[in-house]
């Protein structure tokens, strides 16, 4: 692609600020417009970033005709917007989850498969230096084979967080802590396992906001992978504050790795602890507990556009985390001990 890549950011909520600040720093990328049905939010973002404001998605597609869009809208809008853009040959980078229903996943994957444009899902934590280092160690088998993983997400969300028109509602958010917050950690558990999910067992509950939200604020999920690795995930929005995400990786010979926030530690069998990452020198965009990989992911996505090469977290890969959370919800609802789903 010659010349600047013109980009529209759709949805001007919290996460859009991260996307917009990064896009402004990438050579050869021009933010041409922003879109939000709340006119004051669109106008504010347009003024700050020096671009056009639109209040209707279809109008933006018709009048602005961008080369790429970033979907930062409520979850239930992701599929319809992505499909419409892909059918127009417009590249799409979509915030998670890419879809919240099985029908939506199938529709999205079909559209991406037919389109000449790229589609990507924003699982930025794969680009964190601590995760990349952990993956290298796992692949090298320096510590032996990986046998088990555990993930911990302890964050805080109060009633105020859910006071808008879509958070906390099953039809629009698609779920609670699993669909919105812990989906990143669920994605990393599979990514680091080097396998594919074979079965899922889920348990969900609402411990702190009964009568306020329709979705879960606490969840436990157990995964079995096709290579024998077993993982468990505990997630809650009922913690007093937003703590660092932790992922513990256990190897066959008793060695362990611990990802804690942006850091990676090695725990030897002898009890020695070694920090394997340098102090974070990456510019932080957005809240620290979101991870620091947004810039690297977005830059990689635009490299793929320019070089006309596949993006690693495409519709097929990006959909897996959604498939797994749907399996966890089905397992929890049906009280099944194990819920296999097309794995």
């Amino acid at each position: 692609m010659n010349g600047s890549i013109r980009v529209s950011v759709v949805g001007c909520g919290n996460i859009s600020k991260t996307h917009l600040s990064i896009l402004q720093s990438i050579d050869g990328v021009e933010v041409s417009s922003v879109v939000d049905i709340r006119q004051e939010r669109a106008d504010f973002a347009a003024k700050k970033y020096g671009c056009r404001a639109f209040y209707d998605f279809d109008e933006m597609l018709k009048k602005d005709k961008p080369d790429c869009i970033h979907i930062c809208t409520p979850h239930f809008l992701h599929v319809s917007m992505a499909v419409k853009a892909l059918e127009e040959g417009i590249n799409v980078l979509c915030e998670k989850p890419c879809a919240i229903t099985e029908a939506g996943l199938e529709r999205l994957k079909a559209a991406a498969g037919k389109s000449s444009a790229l589609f990507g899902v924003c699982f930025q934590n794969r680009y964190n230096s601590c995760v990349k280092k952990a993956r290298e160690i796992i692949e090298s088998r320096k510590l032996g084979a990986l046998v088990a993983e555990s993930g911990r997400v302890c964050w805080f969300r109060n009633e105020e967080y859910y006071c808008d028109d879509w958070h906390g509602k099953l039809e629009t958010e698609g779920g609670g802590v699993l669909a919105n917050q812990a989906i990143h950690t669920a994605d990393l558990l599979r990514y680091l396992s080097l396998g594919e999910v074979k079965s899922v067992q889920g348990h969900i509950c609402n411990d702190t906001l009964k009568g306020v939200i329709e979705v879960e604020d606490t969840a436990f999920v157990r995964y079995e992978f096709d290579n024998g690795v077993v993982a468990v995930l505990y997630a809650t929005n009922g913690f007093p504050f937003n703590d660092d995400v932790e992922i513990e990786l256990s190897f066959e010979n008793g060695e362990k790795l611990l990802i804690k926030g942006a850091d990676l530690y090695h725990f030897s069998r002898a009890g020695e602890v070694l920090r394997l990452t340098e102090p974070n020198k990456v510019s932080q965009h957005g809240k620290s507990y979101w991870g620091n990989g947004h810039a690297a992911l977005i830059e990689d996505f635009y490299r793929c556009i320019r070089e006309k090469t596949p993006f690693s977290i495409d519709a097929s890969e990006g959909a897996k985390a959604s498939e797994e959370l749907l399996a966890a919800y089905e397992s929890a609802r049906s009280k099944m001990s194990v819920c296999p789903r097309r794995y």
Side-chain angles (χ1 to χ4, degrees), residues 116-150:
S116 61
L118 283 186
F119 176 82
V121 183
C122 195
F123 282 122
Q124 74 278 356
N125 289 330
R126 291 192 183 193
Y127 288 76
N128 293 351
S129 58
C130 56
V131 172
K132 293 170 69 174
K133 181 68 174 178
R135 169 104 175 186
E136 290 171 4
I137 294 171
I138 294 166
E139 289 177 330
S140 73
R141 298 177 72 91
K142 292 177 181 177
L143 304 180
L146 180 69
V147 295
E149 307 170 298
S150 64

Side-chain angles (χ1 to χ4, degrees), residues 55-239:
Y55 318 122
D56 180 83
F57 178 70
D58 292 335
E59 183 184 14
M60 179 276 294
L61 290 182
K62 181 179 179 180
K63 293 184 177 179
D64 189 33
K65 299 180 180 179
D67 303 304
C68 182
I69 67 169
H70 286 222
I71 299 179
C72 301
T73 60
H75 300 171
F76 73 103
L77 296 172
H78 290 182
V79 171
S80 60
M81 289 180 169
V83 168
K84 190 167 288 188
L86 289 169
E87 289 175 345
E88 295 290 330
I90 298 171
N91 302 291
V92 178
L93 183 60
C94 184
E95 270 295 333
K96 53 71 194 168
C98 60
I100 57 175
T101 65
E102 287 190 25
L105 285 169
E106 294 307 316
R107 184 182 172 204
L108 181 61
K109 287 189 284 188
K114 294 176 183 177
S115 180
S116 61
L118 283 186
F119 176 82
V121 183
C122 195
F123 282 122
Q124 74 278 356
N125 289 330
R126 291 192 183 193
Y127 288 76
N128 293 351
S129 58
C130 56
V131 172
K132 293 170 69 174
K133 181 68 174 178
R135 169 104 175 186
E136 290 171 4
I137 294 171
I138 294 166
E139 289 177 330
S140 73
R141 298 177 72 91
K142 292 177 181 177
L143 304 180
L146 180 69
V147 295
E149 307 170 298
S150 64
R152 174 184 175 272
V153 182
C154 289
W155 287 358
F156 171 74
R157 298 291 184 271
N158 59 11
E159 186 171 349
E160 181 181 358
Y161 175 82
Y162 295 99
C163 68
D164 59 19
D165 58 359
W166 71 278
H167 281 110
K169 298 178 175 62
L170 186 60
E171 186 176 357
T172 51
E173 192 172 16
V177 67
L178 279 182
N180 202 337
Q181 287 81 31
I183 190 172
H184 286 289
T185 307
D187 176 71
L188 289 183
L189 290 174
R190 177 174 43 79
Y191 178 67
L192 293 170
S193 77
L194 307 184
E196 296 295 337
V197 171
K198 183 173 67 173
S199 66
V200 176
Q201 180 180 355
H203 304 273
I204 61 174
C205 60
N206 187 328
D207 287 337
T208 61
L209 293 172
K210 292 181 178 67
V212 176
I213 60 176
E214 301 173 355
V215 296
E216 83 286 353
D217 67 7
T218 301
F220 173 83
V221 186
R222 184 180 187 273
Y223 305 89
E224 292 184 2
F225 297 93
D226 58 3
N227 58 3
V229 175
V230 173
V232 294
L233 171 63
Y234 172 75
T236 183
N237 279 333
F239 207 60

Side-chain angles (χ1 to χ4, degrees), residues 216-276:
E216 83 286 353
D217 67 7
T218 301
F220 173 83
V221 186
R222 184 180 187 273
Y223 305 89
E224 292 184 2
F225 297 93
D226 58 3
N227 58 3
V229 175
V230 173
V232 294
L233 171 63
Y234 172 75
T236 183
N237 279 333
F239 207 60
F241 56 89
N242 294 306
D243 202 4
D244 287 336
V245 172
E246 294 183 358
I247 296 178
E248 185 177 271
L249 306 162
S250 299
F251 297 82
E252 60 184 348
N253 59 5
E255 304 282 318
K256 290 181 183 290
L257 293 177
L258 175 66
I259 297 171
K260 183 175 176 58
D263 295 316
L264 177 65
Y265 300 91
H266 173 217
F267 292 77
S268 73
R269 284 176 293 176
E272 298 173 331
V273 181
L274 179 63
R275 182 176 177 172
L276 302 181

